[in-house]
Amino acid sequence: MPMTQQTLELRVANLDCEHDAAALERGLVGTGGLDALKIYPSSAKVMLTYNTAVTNPAALKETLDQLGFPAQEGFALPQQPRPWRNPKVQTALISGFLLLGGWLLDLAGVPAPWPALLYVAAILIGGYYFGREALEALIFEHSIGIELLMSIAALVAALLGQLPEAAMLVFLYSISEAVEGYTEEKTRSAVKSLMALAPQEALVRRDGVEQIIPASELVPGDLFLVKPGQVIATDGVVLSGASSVNQAPVTGESMPVEKEPGDEVYAGSINGSGALDVRASTAFADNTISRIIGMVEEAQERKGRNQRFIERFGAIYSPLVLLLGLLIATLPPMLLGQAWDVWLMRATVFIVAAAPCALVISIPITMVATLGTGARQGVLIKGGIIVEQLARVQTVALDKTGTITVGEPHVTDILVCGPADETEVLTLAAALEARSEHPLARAVLRRAAVEGIVPPPVSGFQSLPGAGAQAVVRGQQVLIGSPALFAGMDTSACAADIARLQAEGKTAVLIGSPALVFGLIAMRDEIRENAPTAVRGLHDLGLYPVVMLTGDNARTAQAVGGEVGVDAIYAGLRPEDKAGKVRELQARNSHLVMVGDGVNDAPALAEAHVGVAMGAIGTDVALETADVALMADDLEKLVYAVTLARRSRRVVRQNLVLSVAVISLLSLGAVLGLLSLPAAVLAHEISEFVVIGSGLRMLRA
């Protein structure tokens, strides 16, 4: 029987971190027929390459279920249980209540063994999960992490009678471990929002018969129909029909694009007023939206490997502490004939003294204060690692539409080219545009409403796809559309104005009769009022270059970029182009922050060291993919966010220096026999309070 390979992509439950990924990999290694395995813990996804002659998807799913990682149905992503139903949260809270109970009993003078029993219970219950992880990592991965160090520190402290210290250590660390899954779920909601963009069904014509099928079953060559207002199911080429298509979710273009036979359309784009017959050019799994999902997941995995500073530090520090403790306990008695009991006690005190209690607390406390202060100022930063990355950025990339600009066109100029005044030109334009849902039409109608103009009734309205519209207004035939619609007429009176307005990045719409042009209306996606100030503020912080990335045309991009003062402009970029440009800029200029708002920005936001979404107008996917959300749509808040992050970095460094200094002094005192166990614990408690107080300075705005 010939061997064939296939790849099975599945979303699985209970895959929340690198430890889970390692456990899953251990369980799958050696599975019959499984040739390759790739695990995405940030996306709760596994890619299984298997030999169809040996196994099948049903068998692989059964294996996953037996390992405790059941596959989800369809494209569904697993969800974390409610906190009160999460075993890790439950054990951490129980540990905290037991710790509090033991402390209160001690405070009330209740005699032993009752307080001790509560402390022991707090240690055993709170330390169950991270203690098990420590043993599994040691046994299966042959690695000593901070989980093992915390477990040993708690055990040693407990054996030496320091039960409150041990219980407090267990409680604090178990709480931090419990929230990991919810952080991962927040990241995954970006993929959920992306998936929601593509329709679940498509209307296809096969063998001359129209039928509705799941969009996931579309294959290249299928003919599918897109009705007005529908979302395009997959990438394809228009066979018949004409319409304006809103490609902003995919390309970032500020204006809808007219489509006619032969033009490409993209999954996730929104069809306008016309019906389209489209020939699918890609399968659903390979279309634009699916590729964006893949890029987001890949970028998240690349960024997620080094997101925990304590884990990186513990990989070096933890084994060193254990090794030094062992040497302190054994070398003096063996080499110098010293008393074993003395050096065993000194080694025990050393392990307790060197336990990184202050280190464990210093960074989280500072980060919590930083995040709270940022939120009060309208800057939502999604995690301490993002604060650290934001403090290191040197380059800024800004999306245009919805970030530098407001995200929708506005009327900027009304010019007269013939026998009419500005009011008449706007009135005639509003009369025709009242029948249209085009964004430019809405801009005209908004301006008419501001001027107090009520559009007169029209008759014989006819849309001219790709050009404009015509109708009878007040007994005369009126046309509205692009300059191309009036190509056969004398437009010399407004030709210079058209060229000037287009050079300024504006869209010119002409209004006239079949024989004469009356005037023109210019529209543009307006620049945010404080965008130039924000760019100057970024330059004042030493951030260079500040570049603009956009899917819009070069002419519009140059006009907008020149006004706001960016250092470089990259136009005509599709989502994958933006992500590629971000990688290129990061390679040249080190740490980069990307600011965007649309679905098309999702890959670039995920690819950047720090992704920032404009809050109120940002799509769900951009907000979820991004690391920072500017909640007030205020680009100047980016300047504040960088300043806040740099200040936080200074405080963290101060706390780290303080913690290392305290640990070093206490460790030296332990080795020299100058420090008793109670003194070591007391010194640690004092250092913790000092570090906490230092970190809370970040609460000041």
Side-chain angles (χ1 to χ4, degrees), residues 275-328:
L276 298 174
D277 290 353
V278 181
R279 178 77 68 188
S281 58
T282 64
F284 182 85
D286 300 321
N287 65 33
T288 299
I289 294 298
S290 297
R291 291 200 309 272
I292 292 174
I293 292 172
M295 286 186 286
V296 170
E297 291 176 337
E298 290 287 346
Q300 287 175 338
E301 292 304 324
R302 286 195 297 270
K303 191 167 63 176
R305 293 192 182 101
N306 298 305
Q307 288 189 344
R308 293 187 63 183
F309 170 81
I310 291 179
E311 289 181 352
R312 298 197 303 270
F313 180 79
I316 300 173
Y317 182 79
S318 301
L320 183 61
V321 168
L322 295 180
L323 176 61
L324 290 177
L326 180 62
L327 294 176
I328 292 170

Side-chain angles (χ1 to χ4, degrees), residues 156-157 159-162 345 348-349 352-353 675-682:
V156 171
L159 291 175
L160 293 175
Q162 302 300 316
M345 179 57 68
T348 302
V349 175
V352 174
L675 193 66
S676 66
L677 182 60
V681 175
L682 180 61

Side-chain angles (χ1 to χ4, degrees), residues 95 97-103 105 113-123 167:
S95 175
F97 284 123
L98 290 171
L99 171 62
L100 177 62
W103 179 76
L105 290 181
W114 302 113
L117 290 176
L118 292 183
Y119 289 137
V120 170
I123 294 169

Side-chain angles (χ1 to χ4, degrees), residues 217-503:
E217 295 181 5
L218 282 169
V219 297
D222 269 340
L223 173 64
F224 65 96
L225 287 67
V226 186
K227 296 180 180 180
Q230 287 186 336
V231 179
I232 296 172
T234 194
D235 300 349
V237 177
V238 177
L239 293 182
S240 63
S243 182
S244 61
V245 175
N246 180 6
Q247 296 186 162
V250 180
T251 66
E253 293 165 281
S254 56
M255 303 294 176
V257 179
E258 300 297 333
K259 299 292 183 180
E260 56 187 25
D263 290 339
E264 287 186 323
V265 291
Y266 307 105
S269 300
I270 304 169
N271 187 25
S273 57
L276 298 174
D277 290 353
V278 181
R279 178 77 68 188
S281 58
T282 64
F284 182 85
D286 300 321
N287 65 33
T288 299
I289 294 298
S290 297
R291 291 200 309 272
I292 292 174
I293 292 172
M295 286 186 286
V296 170
E297 291 176 337
E298 290 287 346
Q300 287 175 338
E301 292 304 324
R302 286 195 297 270
K303 191 167 63 176
R305 293 192 182 101
N306 298 305
Q307 288 189 344
R308 293 187 63 183
F309 170 81
I310 291 179
E311 289 181 352
R312 298 197 303 270
F313 180 79
I316 300 173
Y317 182 79
S318 301
L320 183 61
V321 168
L322 295 180
L323 176 61
L324 290 177
L326 180 62
L327 294 176
I328 292 170
T330 58
L331 289 183
M334 293 175 61
L335 300 179
L336 303 176
Q338 300 290 313
W340 280 94
D341 56 345
V342 172
W343 286 99
L344 282 173
M345 179 57 68
R346 290 188 182 185
T348 302
V349 175
F350 168 79
I351 292 176
V352 174
C357 300
L359 286 173
V360 169
I361 294 174
S362 63
I363 296 176
I365 286 294
T366 305
M367 292 304 172
V368 167
T370 301
L371 300 177
T373 300
R376 291 202 312 271
Q377 299 298 317
V379 177
L380 179 61
I381 306 174
K382 299 180 181 179
I385 187 66
I386 307 304
V387 177
E388 295 175 4
Q389 294 280 23
L390 192 59
R392 300 174 62 189
V393 299
Q394 298 173 345
T395 304
V396 181
L398 304 173
D399 176 52
K400 181 184 76 69
T401 304
T403 301
I404 292 177
T405 64
V406 296
E408 60 182 16
H410 290 76
V411 173
T412 59
D413 304 87
I414 302 175
L415 303 178
V416 175
C417 306
D421 56 22
E422 290 185 8
T423 301
E424 181 67 9
V425 169
L426 182 58
T427 299
L428 294 174
L432 271 70
E433 300 291 30
R435 298 291 189 93
S436 174
E437 291 298 321
H438 196 286
L440 295 180
R442 293 195 293 271
V444 170
L445 293 173
R446 283 195 300 269
R447 179 61 176 268
V450 170
E451 300 289 342
I453 295 174
V454 178
V458 303
S459 61
F461 178 86
Q462 182 181 359
S463 178
L464 305 173
Q470 63 181 3
V472 176
V473 185
R474 295 172 179 166
Q476 70 171 335
Q477 189 77 10
V478 178
L479 288 79
I480 185 170
S482 66
L485 181 62
F486 296 82
M489 304 180 195
D490 181 10
T491 59
S492 58
C494 53
D497 289 323
I498 293 173
R500 174 180 59 82
L501 293 169
Q502 290 179 338

Side-chain angles (χ1 to χ4, degrees), residues 532-551:
T533 304
V535 172
R536 287 196 298 271
L538 295 171
H539 283 147
D540 290 342
L541 290 177
L543 300 179
Y544 182 88
V546 178
V547 307
M548 186 175 76
L549 310 180
T550 179

